[in-house]
């Protein structure tokens, strides 16, 4: 039954959507056919209701390559199978039921190649890398930022004070943590009021533009309300947890952002539930989906530096996609975050390049926010001046504090 969805001599046309998957099963051809059937028009039985006019909508497995472990398969989908501009719908086919098929021992979606017709049905980022650099007047160097820590619990005034210390210390960006919303201890409205006041003060005192990324993650209508409030109060960025908020909500927020013109900071909290396991999807498809919908900057990992698992090659591949030319879809800023500190900056930049936002939470606030912030900025300055960190720390005390505490990596 499922084998009829496999045709290894099939040559997909350019307008087809192509997925690449890693598959493990005892009968590969049957399992691969099952994935193509269940993600397009088929099921486990031939049904009497099938019409000949709809067969052209069937997906086709056109490549099966044996790997050391498992098999890499490629599936071609006619674009008419999907509703253009509807990301949840596209994913409900290509990344929906298939992971639950009993005969599979592993199934991971490694990549999605969207055809032009589908790409054109999404707007992509309202603001991309170029817009962010223009706003900050930072041409080349990596951006440095922090996450307010403790991640939850500070009241609005203390939250704002930490942000001020971080900006005054030299950081470009301050963000809320992924699980801060509008809890009683720090309501969104007072958070915005107090912190944007501090942003203005820090900009005046440093003569530099700064970014504040408050977390608007909530029910969708409420997210829009919060995003509008940020705009009204003079903010330049909002953050959303794209996995827990969901793709439909992100599409709605992006639609609204056509008018708001805010930097859309995408946090990926929850991604590791399915990017790490035997069943799920890799970060590359997530990055493609997020860029297509229209985030401005997105967490993509630290190339196995720091506290979070993320392969070096994988992070490099995801980041280079985010910055690649993709029809008229703007390039997106990759963000490295998680267990980072000033001592890691040279290694991060050597692995991931200058078009990078480097964020450190514990690595900043453990030293005293202002000192930690300055250590991050000095690390980036040292790279720009091509001076080894240890050398630079001899004349930059905050960097020395960081290297003494955390050490550094060549
Ligand atoms: C980092 C962080 C980020 C994670 C996200 C945290 O804090 O704020 O959310 O880095 O991981 O809560 O852990 P620290 P990723 O700097 O104190 O580790 O970027 O991999 O999605
Ligand atoms: Mg966090």
């Amino acid at each position: 039954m499922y084998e009829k969805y496999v045709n290894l001599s099939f040559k997909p046309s350019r307008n087809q959507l192509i997925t690449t998957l890693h598959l493990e099963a005892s009968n590969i051809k049957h399992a691969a056919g099952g994935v193509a059937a269940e993600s397009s028009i088929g099921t486990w039985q031939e049904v009497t209701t099938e019409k000949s006019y709809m067969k052209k909508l069937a997906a086709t497995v056109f490549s099966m390559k044996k790997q050391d472990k498992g098999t890499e398969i490629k599936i071609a989908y006619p674009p008419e199978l999907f509703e253009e501009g509807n990301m949840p719908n596209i994913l409900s086919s290509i990344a929906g039921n298939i992971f639950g098929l009993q005969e599979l021992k592993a199934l991971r979606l490694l990549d999605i190649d969207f055809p032009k017709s589908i790409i054109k049905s999404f707007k992509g980022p309202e603001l991309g890398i170029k817009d962010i650099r223009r706003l900050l007047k930072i041409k080349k160097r990596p951006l440095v930022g922090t996450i307010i820590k403790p991640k939850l619990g500070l009241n609005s005034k203390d939250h704002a004070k930490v942000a001020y210390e971080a900006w005054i210390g030299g950081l470009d960006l301050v963000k809320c943590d992924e699980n801060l919303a509008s809890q009683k201890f720090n309501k969104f409205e007072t958070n915005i009021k107090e912190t944007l006041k501090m942003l203005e003060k820090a900009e005046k005192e440093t003569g530099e533009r700064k970014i504040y990324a408050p977390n608007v993650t909530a029910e969708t209508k409420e997210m829009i309300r919060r995003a509008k409030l940020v705009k009204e109060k003079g903010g330049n960025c909002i953050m959303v947890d794209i996995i827990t908020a969901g793709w439909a909500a992100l599409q709605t927020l992006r639609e609204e952002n056509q008018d708001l013109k805010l930097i859309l900071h995408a946090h990926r909290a929850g991604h590791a539930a399915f990017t790490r396991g035997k069943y799920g999807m890799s970060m590359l498809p997530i990055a493609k989906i997020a860029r297509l919908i229209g985030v401005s900057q997105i967490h993509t990992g630290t190339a196995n530096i720091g506290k979070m698992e993320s392969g070096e090659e994988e992070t490099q591949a995801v980041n280079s996609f985010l910055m690649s030319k993709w029809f008229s879809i703007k390039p997106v800023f990759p963000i490295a975050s998680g267990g980072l500190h000033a001592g890691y900056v040279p290694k991060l930049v050597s692995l991931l390049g200058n078009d990078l936002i480097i964020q450190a939470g514990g690595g900043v606030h453990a030293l005293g926010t202002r000192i930690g912030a300055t250590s991050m900025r000095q690390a980036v300055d040292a790279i720009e001046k091509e001076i080894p960190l240890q050398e630079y720390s001899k004349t930059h005390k905050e960097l020395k504090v960081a290297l003494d505490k955390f050490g550094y990596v060549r």
Side-chain angles (χ1 to χ4, degrees):
M1 170 41 216
Y2 282 152
E3 277 79 357
K4 73 177 189 179
Y5 289 88
V6 179
N7 174 359
L8 301 184
S9 51
F10 177 77
K11 296 274 172 280
S13 59
R14 288 162 59 86
N15 75 339
Q16 304 226 303
L17 184 148
I18 310 274
T19 57
T20 305
L21 303 104
H22 168 85
L23 180 148
E24 290 173 27
S26 37
N27 177 337
I28 294 294
K29 187 174 176 188
H30 186 263
V35 171
E38 292 289 346
S39 58
S40 60
I41 61 170
T43 186
W44 67 289
Q45 284 290 316
E46 292 284 1
V47 291
T48 57
T49 44
E50 192 170 273
K51 298 286 179 205
S52 51
Y53 64 75
M54 44 162 285
K55 286 193 176 140
K56 64 179 182 313
L57 293 176
T60 308
V61 178
F62 64 93
S63 161
M64 289 196 320
K65 282 197 192 107
K66 196 129 185 49
Q67 314 276 313
D68 301 347
K69 195 165 185 317
T71 306
E72 183 198 85
I73 66 169
K74 285 184 181 291
I75 304 178
Y77 295 86
E80 299 77 12
L81 189 73
F82 310 107
E83 179 190 352
E84 288 183 354
N86 180 342
M87 192 54 79
N89 167 257
I90 295 167
L91 294 174
S92 292
S93 268
I94 66 173
N97 283 358
I98 53 175
F99 298 109
L101 288 171
Q102 215 172 59
E103 66 182 296
L104 296 173
K105 294 191 176 56
L107 184 69
R108 286 177 57 74
L109 177 59
L110 303 175
D111 197 1
I112 311 170
D113 282 315
F114 291 97
K116 187 174 172 185
S117 62
I118 290 188
I119 292 172
K120 292 280 181 208
S121 70
F122 290 91
K123 291 191 175 72
E126 189 64 36
L127 302 181
I129 293 187
K130 278 207 186 86
D131 306 292
I132 298 164
R133 284 193 175 281
R134 193 177 307 116
L135 171 97
L136 290 171
K137 298 188 178 58
I138 297 172
K139 280 203 174 53
K140 223 173 75 45
R141 70 168 172 81
L143 309 187
V144 278
T146 192
I147 310 100
I148 304 281
K149 303 281 179 183
K151 53 187 0 178
L152 290 183
L154 292 180
N155 63 36
S156 301
K157 279 203 181 317
D158 288 339
H159 178 101
K161 268 191 223 135
V162 173
Y164 172 75
E165 288 297 305
W167 282 315
I168 284 295
L171 294 183
D172 306 303
L173 175 142
V174 171
K175 66 180 279 295
C176 294
D177 228 324
E178 68 283 348
N179 50 356
L180 182 65
S182 186
Q183 286 93 327
K184 288 191 181 62
F185 54 76
N186 185 359
K187 296 301 282 178
F188 188 80
E189 287 74 8
T190 46
N191 172 342
I192 297 303
K193 182 166 152 277
E194 297 301 332
T195 313
L196 287 180
K197 233 186 318 185
M198 288 298 118
L199 183 144
E200 205 180 332
K201 183 172 171 350
E203 286 192 332
K204 276 206 191 79
E205 291 169 8
T206 60
E208 295 179 340
R209 295 302 309 272
K210 302 292 183 182
I211 292 177
Y212 177 48
N215 189 354
V216 299
T217 305
E219 178 281 324
T220 306
K221 290 191 300 305
E222 178 56 19
M223 280 207 288
I224 304 288
R225 190 190 71 79
R226 292 180 189 180
K228 285 180 177 169
L229 178 70
V230 169
K231 185 71 181 181
E232 193 191 300
K233 301 292 180 197
N236 48 31
C237 178
I238 49 173
M239 165 177 154
V240 57
D241 298 335
I242 57 174
I243 304 297
T244 50
W247 300 119
L250 183 62
Q251 282 197 246
T252 306
L253 194 57
R254 194 273 171 253
E255 280 307 308
E256 194 61 40
N257 204 33
Q258 177 128 353
D259 303 334
L260 299 176
K261 302 215 179 312
L262 295 166
I263 295 166
L264 200 35
H265 180 116
H267 197 289
R268 58 178 188 168
H271 75 94
F274 49 83
T275 53
R276 286 186 93 176
K278 288 169 61 157
Y279 297 90
M281 69 171 82
S282 300
M283 189 58 208
L284 183 58
I286 295 175
K288 289 195 172 183
I289 294 161
R291 182 178 174 188
L292 206 43
I293 293 177
V295 302
S296 308
Q297 50 197 47
I298 181 170
H299 290 237
T300 56
T302 55
N304 251 355
I305 293 170
K307 76 182 186 188
M308 298 288 191
E309 189 265 341
S310 57
E312 193 174 297
E313 287 77 35
E314 182 180 16
T315 311
Q316 288 169 326
V318 172
N319 291 10
S320 58
F321 159 73
L322 286 174
M323 294 181 283
S324 64
K325 177 132 184 53
W326 200 29
F327 294 99
S328 59
I329 304 291
K330 287 186 176 181
V332 165
F333 237 135
I335 301 168
S337 177
L340 299 180
H341 55 69
Y344 279 141
V345 170
K347 179 95 176 149
L348 274 168
V349 174
S350 69
L351 287 174
L352 301 175
N354 277 313
D355 266 334
L356 186 67
I357 299 176
I358 304 171
Q359 288 178 179
V364 159
H365 307 295
L367 305 177
T369 302
R370 194 177 298 207
I371 293 171
T374 305
S375 73
M376 292 295 288
R377 182 67 177 270
Q378 287 169 348
V380 163
D381 293 347
I383 295 176
E384 276 201 297
K385 294 172 184 154
E386 296 183 5
I387 301 170
L389 280 199
Q390 267 195 319
E391 191 56 34
Y392 205 67
S393 71
K394 286 178 186 151
T395 52
H396 295 80
K397 62 183 184 332
E398 295 82 357
L399 181 57
K400 184 163 181 345
V401 169
L403 300 189
D404 288 350
K405 182 171 179 67
F406 302 121
Y408 77 108
V409 175
R410 279 183 201 290

